[in-house]
Amino acid sequence: MSREPEPAVSDPSLSCCTPLTGTAMSADQAERIVPLLKALADPVRLRLVSLIAAGKGGEACVCDLNDAFDLTQATISHHLKVLHTAGLLDREKRGVWVYYAVRPDALRSVATLFDTAALTPA
Amino acid sequence: MSREPEPAVSDPSLSCCTPLTGTAMSADQAERIVPLLKALADPVRLRLVSLIAAGKGGEACVCDLNDAFDLTQATISHHLKVLHTAGLLDREKRGVWVYYAVRPDALRSVATLFDTAALTPA
DNA sequence: GGTAGACATCGACACTCGTCGATGCCTTCG
DNA sequence: CGAAGGCATCGACGAGTGTCGATGTCTACC
């Protein structure tokens, strides 16, 4: 049987506004969202984002983040880089210290994905 | 050895109601949510969930899912098992065919995580 | 200038993951 | 009963991932 015609990806610029339910997502849409999910699909990175988001102004210093885990500074730095590369965190250097801040738009992209899904009645 | 191959489905209700922002999440909370995110952090699996959720009654037959990908039947079966083990999909056999259905509560757990996050003002 | 501290990068290791072909199990039908 | 088809499982392979110690880079301060 032939595949359904692609329902015209409306917004190729961003991976936003992709309902998980409703209509099936295209392969392109999946490829765009997956890097965000991959970055968050790690207990350390998920806690890092949570810690940063819970910090003042939605940001946190690396020096404080290191103390929150029983991991090497190199490992924390690696995870922060992964989150930054995925577009979930912003990086800003202030003197000796480096501050990471959450990117609300990135989180919103993921939220939109599951937002529609959650509305599905049981 | 155990005869019933029914995998130990993680209980999504336990990982519910975990805001990403607000207060930092505990290590336990992260460990509970991460399996769901890991299961969804794959383009094939994300599309599988999307396809199933978009199907009639939020379910789909494996025979139809196989045709939607350029992958071996064994690979699709593997991905479905991962999603089922994570608690994201229900499995039901009807005669020769097997139907998978989304578990709205599992999706809601993930949605709740990012729901609060998306509400964070800029 | 020299030194100390904060963070990033490098190289290496064990481990996990995605994919495949082959095979097994189960249901249906002739 | 035997054959056929749908789906799961097995074993194996390459690729990717998380973690570490060691090292590099930059800033601030004495």
Side-chain angles (χ1 to χ4, degrees), chain B:
Chain B
M1 60 182 66
S2 57
R3 292 202 61 258
E4 186 49 50
E6 199 69 22
V9 178
S10 63
D11 190 356
S13 64
L14 294 176
S15 50
C16 178
C17 309
T18 306
L20 193 52
T21 55
T23 57
M25 71 193 312
S26 68
D28 282 349
Q29 285 176 313
E31 298 284 354
R32 255 180 260 122
I33 276 281
V34 158
L36 295 179
L37 293 177
K38 267 205 174 89
L40 291 167
D42 179 276
V44 176
R45 288 198 289 268
L46 192 60
R47 286 184 61 200
L48 277 172
V49 172
S50 173
L51 282 171
I52 295 172
K56 282 183 57 177
E59 66 174 19
C61 175
V62 176
C63 54
D64 291 333
L65 297 175
N66 280 329
D67 299 339
F69 299 87
D70 275 340
L71 293 171
T72 308
Q73 173 262 327
T75 300
I76 299 298
S77 185
H78 162 70
H79 284 306
L80 289 171
K81 181 179 181 179
V82 171
L83 290 167
H84 178 229
T85 303
L88 284 162
L89 294 182
D90 270 334
R91 183 180 181 276
E92 185 184 357
K93 187 167 187 176
R94 300 181 196 163
V96 190
W97 293 279
V98 172
Y99 284 77
Y100 281 90
V102 294
R103 296 186 52 157
D105 53 332
L107 286 182
R108 206 186 320 268
S109 296
V110 184
T112 306
L113 216 179
F114 298 103
D115 198 11
T116 312
L119 297 181
T120 304

Side-chain angles (χ1 to χ4, degrees), chain A residues 38 42 44-45 70-72 74-75 78-79 93 95-96:
Chain A
K38 267 205 173 85
D42 180 276
V44 175
R45 289 198 289 267
D70 274 339
L71 293 171
T72 308
T75 300
H78 162 69
H79 284 307
K93 188 165 185 176
V96 191

Side-chain angles (χ1 to χ4, degrees), chain A residues 86-111:
Chain A
L88 284 162
L89 295 182
D90 271 334
R91 183 180 181 278
E92 187 185 355
K93 188 165 185 176
R94 300 183 197 161
V96 191
W97 293 280
V98 173
Y99 284 77
Y100 281 91
V102 293
R103 297 188 51 156
D105 54 329
L107 285 182
R108 208 185 317 268
S109 296
V110 183

